[in-house]
PDB file of all heavy atoms in Angstrom:
ATOM      1  N   GLY A   1       0.807  -1.219   0.000  1.00 87.00           N
ATOM      2  CA  GLY A   1       0.000   0.000   0.000  1.00 87.00           C
ATOM      3  C   GLY A   1       0.833   1.259   0.000  1.00 87.00           C
ATOM      4  O   GLY A   1       0.383   2.314  -0.469  1.00 87.00           O
ATOM      5  N   THR A   2       2.074   1.179   0.509  1.00 90.00           N
ATOM      6  CA  THR A   2       2.903   2.382   0.601  1.00 90.00           C
ATOM      7  C   THR A   2       3.489   2.801  -0.740  1.00 90.00           C
ATOM      8  O   THR A   2       3.864   3.955  -0.919  1.00 90.00           O
ATOM      9  CB  THR A   2       4.053   2.177   1.611  1.00 90.00           C
ATOM     10  OG1 THR A   2       4.977   1.198   1.112  1.00 90.00           O
ATOM     11  CG2 THR A   2       3.519   1.727   2.958  1.00 90.00           C
ATOM     12  N   THR A   3       3.582   1.877  -1.676  1.00 91.00           N
ATOM     13  CA  THR A   3       4.115   2.219  -3.006  1.00 91.00           C
ATOM     14  C   THR A   3       3.029   2.226  -4.078  1.00 91.00           C
ATOM     15  O   THR A   3       3.327   2.424  -5.263  1.00 91.00           O
ATOM     16  CB  THR A   3       5.224   1.230  -3.417  1.00 91.00           C
ATOM     17  OG1 THR A   3       4.690  -0.102  -3.472  1.00 91.00           O
ATOM     18  CG2 THR A   3       6.373   1.272  -2.427  1.00 91.00           C
ATOM     19  N   LEU A   4       1.778   2.010  -3.689  1.00 87.00           N
ATOM     20  CA  LEU A   4       0.663   1.911  -4.634  1.00 87.00           C
ATOM     21  C   LEU A   4       0.361   3.283  -5.243  1.00 87.00           C
ATOM     22  O   LEU A   4       0.052   4.228  -4.529  1.00 87.00           O
ATOM     23  CB  LEU A   4      -0.566   1.369  -3.907  1.00 87.00           C
ATOM     24  CG  LEU A   4      -1.734   0.856  -4.747  1.00 87.00           C
ATOM     25  CD1 LEU A   4      -1.346  -0.418  -5.479  1.00 87.00           C
ATOM     26  CD2 LEU A   4      -2.933   0.598  -3.847  1.00 87.00           C
ATOM     27  N   GLN A   5       0.444   3.380  -6.564  1.00 87.00           N
ATOM     28  CA  GLN A   5       0.147   4.651  -7.233  1.00 87.00           C
ATOM     29  C   GLN A   5      -0.936   4.521  -8.300  1.00 87.00           C
ATOM     30  O   GLN A   5      -1.582   5.509  -8.636  1.00 87.00           O
ATOM     31  CB  GLN A   5       1.420   5.214  -7.863  1.00 87.00           C
ATOM     32  CG  GLN A   5       2.500   5.531  -6.832  1.00 87.00           C
ATOM     33  CD  GLN A   5       3.640   6.323  -7.420  1.00 87.00           C
ATOM     34  OE1 GLN A   5       3.503   7.525  -7.692  1.00 87.00           O
ATOM     35  NE2 GLN A   5       4.768   5.669  -7.634  1.00 87.00           N
ATOM     36  N   VAL A   6      -1.131   3.320  -8.823  1.00 86.00           N
ATOM     37  CA  VAL A   6      -2.235   3.087  -9.756  1.00 86.00           C
ATOM     38  C   VAL A   6      -2.987   1.841  -9.300  1.00 86.00           C
ATOM     39  O   VAL A   6      -2.425   0.961  -8.646  1.00 86.00           O
ATOM     40  CB  VAL A   6      -1.737   2.909 -11.211  1.00 86.00           C
ATOM     41  CG1 VAL A   6      -0.993   4.149 -11.674  1.00 86.00           C
ATOM     42  CG2 VAL A   6      -0.867   1.683 -11.337  1.00 86.00           C
ATOM     43  N   HIS A   7      -4.252   1.785  -9.618  1.00 82.00           N
ATOM     44  CA  HIS A   7      -5.063   0.647  -9.209  1.00 82.00           C
ATOM     45  C   HIS A   7      -4.527  -0.618  -9.874  1.00 82.00           C
ATOM     46  O   HIS A   7      -4.332  -0.648 -11.097  1.00 82.00           O
ATOM     47  CB  HIS A   7      -6.524   0.864  -9.597  1.00 82.00           C
ATOM     48  CG  HIS A   7      -7.464  -0.064  -8.900  1.00 82.00           C
ATOM     49  ND1 HIS A   7      -7.594  -1.384  -9.245  1.00 82.00           N
ATOM     50  CD2 HIS A   7      -8.310   0.138  -7.855  1.00 82.00           C
ATOM     51  CE1 HIS A   7      -8.487  -1.958  -8.468  1.00 82.00           C
ATOM     52  NE2 HIS A   7      -8.939  -1.052  -7.605  1.00 82.00           N
ATOM     53  N   PRO A   8      -4.267  -1.709  -9.093  1.00 81.00           N
ATOM     54  CA  PRO A   8      -3.623  -2.898  -9.669  1.00 81.00           C
ATOM     55  C   PRO A   8      -4.459  -3.618 -10.714  1.00 81.00           C
ATOM     56  O   PRO A   8      -3.902  -4.352 -11.535  1.00 81.00           O
ATOM     57  CB  PRO A   8      -3.373  -3.789  -8.448  1.00 81.00           C
ATOM     58  CG  PRO A   8      -4.339  -3.322  -7.419  1.00 81.00           C
ATOM     59  CD  PRO A   8      -4.514  -1.855  -7.645  1.00 81.00           C
ATOM     60  N   VAL A   9      -5.784  -3.431 -10.697  1.00 81.00           N
ATOM     61  CA  VAL A   9      -6.645  -4.124 -11.663  1.00 81.00           C
ATOM     62  C   VAL A   9      -6.994  -3.226 -12.842  1.00 81.00           C
ATOM     63  O   VAL A   9      -6.861  -3.606 -14.006  1.00 81.00           O
ATOM     64  CB  VAL A   9      -7.925  -4.640 -10.967  1.00 81.00           C
ATOM     65  CG1 VAL A   9      -8.867  -5.273 -11.995  1.00 81.00           C
ATOM     66  CG2 VAL A   9      -7.569  -5.647  -9.879  1.00 81.00           C
ATOM     67  N   THR A  10      -7.441  -1.996 -12.551  1.00 79.00           N
ATOM     68  CA  THR A  10      -7.887  -1.105 -13.627  1.00 79.00           C
ATOM     69  C   THR A  10      -6.758  -0.278 -14.222  1.00 79.00           C
ATOM     70  O   THR A  10      -6.884   0.230 -15.340  1.00 79.00           O
ATOM     71  CB  THR A  10      -8.973  -0.153 -13.104  1.00 79.00           C
ATOM     72  OG1 THR A  10      -8.397   0.722 -12.108  1.00 79.00           O
ATOM     73  CG2 THR A  10     -10.124  -0.931 -12.489  1.00 79.00           C
ATOM     74  N   GLY A  11      -5.649  -0.101 -13.479  1.00 79.00           N
ATOM     75  CA  GLY A  11      -4.563   0.740 -13.943  1.00 79.00           C
ATOM     76  C   GLY A  11      -4.845   2.221 -13.808  1.00 79.00           C
ATOM     77  O   GLY A  11      -4.075   3.056 -14.280  1.00 79.00           O
ATOM     78  N   THR A  12      -5.937   2.587 -13.122  1.00 80.00           N
ATOM     79  CA  THR A  12      -6.318   3.987 -12.935  1.00 80.00           C
ATOM     80  C   THR A  12      -5.362   4.676 -11.971  1.00 80.00           C
ATOM     81  O   THR A  12      -4.996   4.122 -10.933  1.00 80.00           O
ATOM     82  CB  THR A  12      -7.751   4.083 -12.377  1.00 80.00           C
ATOM     83  OG1 THR A  12      -8.619   3.354 -13.234  1.00 80.00           O
ATOM     84  CG2 THR A  12      -8.208   5.530 -12.289  1.00 80.00           C
ATOM     85  N   ASP A  13      -4.968   5.929 -12.287  1.00 80.00           N
ATOM     86  CA  ASP A  13      -4.091   6.680 -11.394  1.00 80.00           C
ATOM     87  C   ASP A  13      -4.794   6.949 -10.067  1.00 80.00           C
ATOM     88  O   ASP A  13      -5.996   7.244 -10.025  1.00 80.00           O
ATOM     89  CB  ASP A  13      -3.698   8.020 -12.034  1.00 80.00           C
ATOM     90  CG  ASP A  13      -2.710   7.842 -13.174  1.00 80.00           C
ATOM     91  OD1 ASP A  13      -2.058   6.782 -13.215  1.00 80.00           O
ATOM     92  OD2 ASP A  13      -2.606   8.755 -14.013  1.00 80.00           O
ATOM     93  N   LEU A  14      -4.006   6.880  -8.995  1.00 72.00           N
ATOM     94  CA  LEU A  14      -4.522   7.151  -7.662  1.00 72.00           C
ATOM     95  C   LEU A  14      -3.908   8.430  -7.137  1.00 72.00           C
ATOM     96  O   LEU A  14      -2.757   8.756  -7.427  1.00 72.00           O
ATOM     97  CB  LEU A  14      -4.196   5.992  -6.716  1.00 72.00           C
ATOM     98  CG  LEU A  14      -4.766   4.631  -7.124  1.00 72.00           C
ATOM     99  CD1 LEU A  14      -4.243   3.537  -6.213  1.00 72.00           C
ATOM    100  CD2 LEU A  14      -6.286   4.672  -7.089  1.00 72.00           C
ATOM    101  N   ASP A  15      -4.673   9.138  -6.337  1.00 63.00           N
ATOM    102  CA  ASP A  15      -4.232  10.428  -5.819  1.00 63.00           C
ATOM    103  C   ASP A  15      -3.409  10.230  -4.555  1.00 63.00           C
ATOM    104  O   ASP A  15      -3.946   9.785  -3.538  1.00 63.00           O
ATOM    105  CB  ASP A  15      -5.462  11.293  -5.530  1.00 63.00           C
ATOM    106  CG  ASP A  15      -5.090  12.698  -5.090  1.00 63.00           C
ATOM    107  OD1 ASP A  15      -3.882  12.988  -4.902  1.00 63.00           O
ATOM    108  OD2 ASP A  15      -6.010  13.499  -4.922  1.00 63.00           O
ATOM    109  N   PRO A  16      -2.121  10.554  -4.528  1.00 53.00           N
ATOM    110  CA  PRO A  16      -1.302  10.358  -3.326  1.00 53.00           C
ATOM    111  C   PRO A  16      -1.696  11.255  -2.174  1.00 53.00           C
ATOM    112  O   PRO A  16      -1.259  11.058  -1.049  1.00 53.00           O
ATOM    113  CB  PRO A  16       0.122  10.667  -3.814  1.00 53.00           C
ATOM    114  CG  PRO A  16      -0.063  11.566  -4.989  1.00 53.00           C
ATOM    115  CD  PRO A  16      -1.338  11.121  -5.636  1.00 53.00           C
ATOM    116  N   ASP A  17      -2.545  12.267  -2.432  1.00 52.00           N
ATOM    117  CA  ASP A  17      -2.977  13.155  -1.352  1.00 52.00           C
ATOM    118  C   ASP A  17      -4.215  12.650  -0.622  1.00 52.00           C
ATOM    119  O   ASP A  17      -4.722  13.302   0.292  1.00 52.00           O
ATOM    120  CB  ASP A  17      -3.261  14.558  -1.913  1.00 52.00           C
ATOM    121  CG  ASP A  17      -2.001  15.193  -2.478  1.00 52.00           C
ATOM    122  OD1 ASP A  17      -0.924  14.956  -1.897  1.00 52.00           O
ATOM    123  OD2 ASP A  17      -2.102  15.901  -3.495  1.00 52.00           O
ATOM    124  N   GLY A  18      -4.746  11.523  -1.038  1.00 45.00           N
ATOM    125  CA  GLY A  18      -5.841  10.918  -0.290  1.00 45.00           C
ATOM    126  C   GLY A  18      -7.218  11.263  -0.803  1.00 45.00           C
ATOM    127  O   GLY A  18      -8.214  11.019  -0.127  1.00 45.00           O
ATOM    128  N   ASN A  19      -7.342  11.823  -1.984  1.00 47.00           N
ATOM    129  CA  ASN A  19      -8.656  12.186  -2.495  1.00 47.00           C
ATOM    130  C   ASN A  19      -9.300  11.081  -3.322  1.00 47.00           C
ATOM    131  O   ASN A  19     -10.478  11.144  -3.627  1.00 47.00           O
ATOM    132  CB  ASN A  19      -8.541  13.456  -3.361  1.00 47.00           C
ATOM    133  CG  ASN A  19      -8.049  14.640  -2.551  1.00 47.00           C
ATOM    134  OD1 ASN A  19      -8.467  14.814  -1.409  1.00 47.00           O
ATOM    135  ND2 ASN A  19      -7.170  15.447  -3.136  1.00 47.00           N
ATOM    136  N   ALA A  20      -8.527  10.076  -3.693  1.00 46.00           N
ATOM    137  CA  ALA A  20      -9.072   8.988  -4.501  1.00 46.00           C
ATOM    138  C   ALA A  20      -9.593   7.883  -3.600  1.00 46.00           C
ATOM    139  O   ALA A  20      -9.474   7.918  -2.386  1.00 46.00           O
ATOM    140  CB  ALA A  20      -7.997   8.447  -5.444  1.00 46.00           C
ATOM    141  N   VAL A  21     -10.175   6.887  -4.243  1.00 46.00           N
ATOM    142  CA  VAL A  21     -10.755   5.780  -3.482  1.00 46.00           C
ATOM    143  C   VAL A  21      -9.676   4.995  -2.743  1.00 46.00           C
ATOM    144  O   VAL A  21      -9.880   4.533  -1.633  1.00 46.00           O
ATOM    145  CB  VAL A  21     -11.544   4.852  -4.433  1.00 46.00           C
ATOM    146  CG1 VAL A  21     -12.058   3.632  -3.684  1.00 46.00           C
ATOM    147  CG2 VAL A  21     -12.695   5.613  -5.070  1.00 46.00           C
ATOM    148  N   SER A  22      -8.523   4.851  -3.331  1.00 48.00           N
ATOM    149  CA  SER A  22      -7.497   3.995  -2.747  1.00 48.00           C
ATOM    150  C   SER A  22      -6.121   4.644  -2.868  1.00 48.00           C
ATOM    151  O   SER A  22      -5.333   4.309  -3.736  1.00 48.00           O
ATOM    152  CB  SER A  22      -7.501   2.634  -3.442  1.00 48.00           C
ATOM    153  OG  SER A  22      -6.544   1.790  -2.862  1.00 48.00           O
ATOM    154  N   PRO A  23      -5.795   5.618  -2.016  1.00 58.00           N
ATOM    155  CA  PRO A  23      -4.531   6.338  -2.153  1.00 58.00           C
ATOM    156  C   PRO A  23      -3.350   5.551  -1.604  1.00 58.00           C
ATOM    157  O   PRO A  23      -3.504   4.598  -0.865  1.00 58.00           O
ATOM    158  CB  PRO A  23      -4.771   7.588  -1.296  1.00 58.00           C
ATOM    159  CG  PRO A  23      -5.706   7.112  -0.234  1.00 58.00           C
ATOM    160  CD  PRO A  23      -6.607   6.123  -0.908  1.00 58.00           C
ATOM    161  N   ARG A  24      -2.175   6.003  -1.984  1.00 73.00           N
ATOM    162  CA  ARG A  24      -0.952   5.477  -1.387  1.00 73.00           C
ATOM    163  C   ARG A  24      -0.942   5.863   0.088  1.00 73.00           C
ATOM    164  O   ARG A  24      -1.359   6.956   0.465  1.00 73.00           O
ATOM    165  CB  ARG A  24       0.248   6.073  -2.114  1.00 73.00           C
ATOM    166  CG  ARG A  24       1.564   5.448  -1.718  1.00 73.00           C
ATOM    167  CD  ARG A  24       2.685   5.944  -2.596  1.00 73.00           C
ATOM    168  NE  ARG A  24       2.965   7.357  -2.381  1.00 73.00           N
ATOM    169  CZ  ARG A  24       4.110   7.937  -2.735  1.00 73.00           C
ATOM    170  NH1 ARG A  24       5.047   7.230  -3.329  1.00 73.00           N
ATOM    171  NH2 ARG A  24       4.293   9.210  -2.523  1.00 73.00           N
ATOM    172  N   ILE A  25      -0.453   4.989   0.943  1.00 84.00           N
ATOM    173  CA  ILE A  25      -0.512   5.242   2.381  1.00 84.00           C
ATOM    174  C   ILE A  25       0.885   5.393   2.962  1.00 84.00           C
ATOM    175  O   ILE A  25       1.888   5.068   2.339  1.00 84.00           O
ATOM    176  CB  ILE A  25      -1.257   4.105   3.118  1.00 84.00           C
ATOM    177  CG1 ILE A  25      -0.516   2.778   2.934  1.00 84.00           C
ATOM    178  CG2 ILE A  25      -2.695   4.008   2.648  1.00 84.00           C
ATOM    179  CD1 ILE A  25      -1.071   1.647   3.749  1.00 84.00           C
ATOM    180  N   ARG A  26       0.938   5.868   4.194  1.00 89.00           N
ATOM    181  CA  ARG A  26       2.198   6.025   4.902  1.00 89.00           C
ATOM    182  C   ARG A  26       2.696   4.662   5.374  1.00 89.00           C
ATOM    183  O   ARG A  26       1.901   3.757   5.616  1.00 89.00           O
ATOM    184  CB  ARG A  26       2.022   6.949   6.094  1.00 89.00           C
ATOM    185  CG  ARG A  26       1.527   8.345   5.742  1.00 89.00           C
ATOM    186  CD  ARG A  26       1.375   9.189   7.001  1.00 89.00           C
ATOM    187  NE  ARG A  26       0.845  10.517   6.698  1.00 89.00           N
ATOM    188  CZ  ARG A  26      -0.443  10.815   6.679  1.00 89.00           C
ATOM    189  NH1 ARG A  26      -1.341   9.886   6.932  1.00 89.00           N
ATOM    190  NH2 ARG A  26      -0.845  12.034   6.397  1.00 89.00           N
ATOM    191  N   PRO A  27       4.009   4.523   5.556  1.00 92.00           N
ATOM    192  CA  PRO A  27       4.528   3.238   6.042  1.00 92.00           C
ATOM    193  C   PRO A  27       4.094   2.884   7.457  1.00 92.00           C
ATOM    194  O   PRO A  27       4.193   1.725   7.849  1.00 92.00           O
ATOM    195  CB  PRO A  27       6.050   3.425   5.970  1.00 92.00           C
ATOM    196  CG  PRO A  27       6.247   4.460   4.915  1.00 92.00           C
ATOM    197  CD  PRO A  27       5.095   5.400   5.077  1.00 92.00           C
TER     198      PRO A  27
END
């Protein structure tokens, strides 16, 4: 989850600031 930047299934970009459904998280 800490290195996640795009959705693993859809390939959709994720917002690292937490505005998307599944953002990158802190360690």
